[in-house]
Amino acid sequence: MLIDAVVFDFGGVLIDWNPRYLYRTIFNNDERMEWFLDNVCNTEWNLKQDRGRPFAEGITILKDKFPDYSILIEFFYSRWEQMLKGEITGTVEILYLLKEKYKIFGLTNWSAETFPIAQKRFSFLQMFDGIVVSGKEKLVKPDKKLFSILLERYTLKPERCIFIDDSLINIEAAEEIGFNAVQFLSAYDLKEKLTSLHVI
């Protein structure tokens, strides 16, 4: 297998992000917290910010719908950094190993407004040869147009790239385009898979 580059997803692969890290400090029980994250600031709502909607707009929509939760809704942006627990250590170690042999790129579903916070916090993000952020492109994975932006911008061929993501639907989209896709389950599992592919 001839490989020129490795493409990483960020959240859940290199960076441990979860809104529960913030809201567990606010709610007095997990059941109420889970209701809030399922029905108010849910994944579908957050994905629209990842697709480029300003947080101010998204927050206003929710506050109109759930006025009793206005302050907690505002926290999703104003205290967003508290949702970042830290780097996923084992994966970052693999990243450094891969950087010695290949160019590395990022393809992430992330709000353009909050991604700079992560860039300041995690120095390893400066190692990347290029990063495509969904919020800037107004597209989200698994939309193949977002993958195409990465390939065209950095003159990459999918068959000569390893793509790493924790989402199965994103893995399937990448495979359909021609990437050598590896689903992330754990740092240990990723290292085993990359070793079997003779990538590291």
Side-chain angles (χ1 to χ4, degrees):
M1 183 187 297
L2 291 174
I3 297 298
D4 298 322
V6 181
V7 182
F8 278 89
D9 173 40
F10 290 161
V13 176
L14 285 163
I15 296 170
D16 187 0
W17 176 89
N18 193 318
R20 289 164 184 81
Y21 293 137
L22 165 63
Y23 287 104
R24 193 165 280 127
T25 69
I26 297 167
F27 285 92
N28 56 18
N29 68 66
D30 280 359
E31 186 176 346
R32 288 184 61 222
M33 177 189 70
E34 293 298 339
W35 183 92
F36 176 81
L37 293 176
D38 285 342
N39 296 279
V40 186
C41 290
N42 59 27
T43 300
E44 181 182 358
W45 172 80
N46 186 51
L47 194 63
K48 291 182 180 178
Q49 278 73 253
D50 286 353
R51 193 181 281 116
R53 181 175 67 182
F55 262 102
E57 182 181 336
I59 286 170
T60 297
I61 289 169
L62 280 192
K63 286 170 67 175
D64 288 345
K65 190 175 180 181
F66 301 99
D68 291 346
Y69 289 92
S70 290
I71 294 175
L72 299 185
I73 292 166
E74 289 176 0
F75 284 166
F76 202 98
Y77 181 63
S78 66
R79 296 176 62 178
W80 180 88
E81 189 169 1
Q82 291 177 245
M83 302 180 194
L84 290 175
K85 185 174 183 180
E87 67 179 53
I88 298 176
T89 306
T91 321
V92 175
E93 291 171 1
I94 293 169
L95 171 68
Y96 278 97
L97 286 175
L98 292 169
K99 180 63 176 174
E100 294 175 3
K101 297 173 65 178
Y102 310 102
K103 287 192 173 183
I104 56 169
F105 297 91
L107 184 64
T108 182
N109 283 353
W110 207 300
S111 161
E113 293 176 282
T114 55
F115 188 66
I117 298 171
Q119 282 183 304
K120 289 178 183 178
R121 180 159 169 186
F122 300 108
S123 59
F124 64 81
L125 291 176
Q126 310 308 316
M127 296 169 49
F128 282 75
D129 294 285
I131 298 173
V132 172
V133 178
S134 66
K136 294 180 181 179
E137 310 300 335
K138 308 295 192 291
L139 296 163
V140 292
K141 292 177 290 183
D143 193 324
K144 292 174 185 175
K145 293 177 184 176
L146 189 63
F147 289 88
S148 295
I149 288 172
L150 173 80
L151 296 171
E152 292 169 11
R153 185 170 297 166
Y154 299 109
T155 320
L156 300 173
K157 295 180 179 179
E159 67 273 13
R160 298 188 66 156
C161 295
I162 298 285
F163 174 73
I164 301 166
D165 198 300
D166 60 327
S167 167
L168 181 58
I169 193 171
N170 295 341
I171 290 293
E172 291 171 344
E175 288 177 335
E176 289 173 11
I177 294 168
F179 281 91
N180 301 286
V182 177
Q183 186 177 12
F184 179 84
L185 302 175
S186 69
Y188 176 82
D189 178 73
L190 177 61
K191 192 168 186 179
E192 291 285 300
K193 289 174 179 173
L194 294 178
T195 299
S196 69
L197 293 171
H198 305 291
V199 176
I200 56 174

